[in-house]
Amino acid sequence: KPFENSVPLLSLKAAAGAFGESQTVEEFSNQLMFSGDVQWVALPGHLRAQKGFFVAQVVGESMNRRIPNGAYCLFRANPQGTRNAKVVLAQHRDIHDAELGAEYTVKVYRSEKEHLDDGSWRHTEVRLEPDSDDATFEPIVIRDARPGEFSILAELVEVIE
């Protein structure tokens, strides 16, 4: 039963490498709105389905200490609160992986902030860090992102394979 014991499976394949399979944020948003034909995935008994939860496949080796290549993962859309040290699904419109032609990735989120005179703050740097047995994977570093260029779409809840 949708959102009782199952959640939607999105066709998005997020890369655990650099940014993943090319797909526009509009397509992703439409899937989150569950328009069209939706495939539902039953969750393991210890997990309770919630609105905003979805399943997507993660491909690649850059997160292999936490997420096996090809695993299906449960995500929470539009995460609130601090993201530091959490595994997130990120989108960047101007970064594309040469191999996959991609704009999505799954990584560990870290950020540095600068406090401004008016009491507000802004990110000076966001680091999307791999967690892999392969030391050749390097963090993706984003500085001075323009509005709408970079966003965190979801956070990892659990690998469900």
Side-chain angles (χ1 to χ4, degrees):
K1 297 179 181 178
F3 294 114
E4 285 187 31
N5 65 355
S6 63
V7 297
L9 172 66
L10 302 186
S11 62
L12 172 73
K13 287 187 181 177
F19 280 82
E21 182 177 322
S22 183
Q23 182 178 36
T24 67
V25 73
E26 289 78 17
E27 291 169 327
F28 183 81
S29 296
N30 287 341
Q31 287 180 325
L32 286 180
M33 302 281 288
F34 313 122
S35 61
D37 190 24
V38 176
Q39 186 176 1
W40 295 87
V41 176
L43 293 178
H46 70 281
L47 291 170
R48 185 170 168 222
Q50 298 177 28
K51 291 210 182 229
F53 276 13
F54 64 91
V55 171
Q57 187 177 28
V58 177
V59 295
E61 295 294 333
S62 77
M63 291 296 293
N64 66 17
R65 288 186 186 151
R66 299 179 193 216
I67 304 171
N69 185 2
Y72 287 88
C73 296
L74 178 64
F75 289 92
R76 176 183 296 110
N78 305 313
Q80 303 298 312
T82 185
R83 296 174 181 129
N84 263 334
K86 293 183 179 178
V87 176
V88 298
L89 172 62
Q91 183 261 340
H92 194 295
R93 290 179 189 247
D94 294 335
I95 297 177
H96 297 281
D97 174 72
E99 182 180 16
L100 298 174
E103 56 186 50
Y104 293 99
T105 193
V106 174
K107 295 283 182 291
V108 178
Y109 180 95
R110 306 250 187 242
S111 71
E112 293 182 21
K113 297 175 184 173
E114 170 184 56
H115 294 278
L116 304 174
D117 292 338
D118 66 2
S120 64
W121 57 268
R122 70 175 185 93
H123 288 287
T124 56
E125 178 178 283
V126 173
R127 296 174 62 83
L128 302 174
E129 299 177 348
D131 188 4
S132 178
D133 295 331
D134 182 345
T136 63
F137 289 105
E138 295 186 17
I140 297 169
V141 179
I142 299 166
R143 293 183 184 98
D144 301 319
R146 297 179 309 269
E149 176 181 29
F150 170 74
S151 61
I152 302 302
L153 301 173
E155 71 181 353
L156 178 69
V157 175
E158 187 170 313
V159 176
I160 59 173
E161 298 190 52

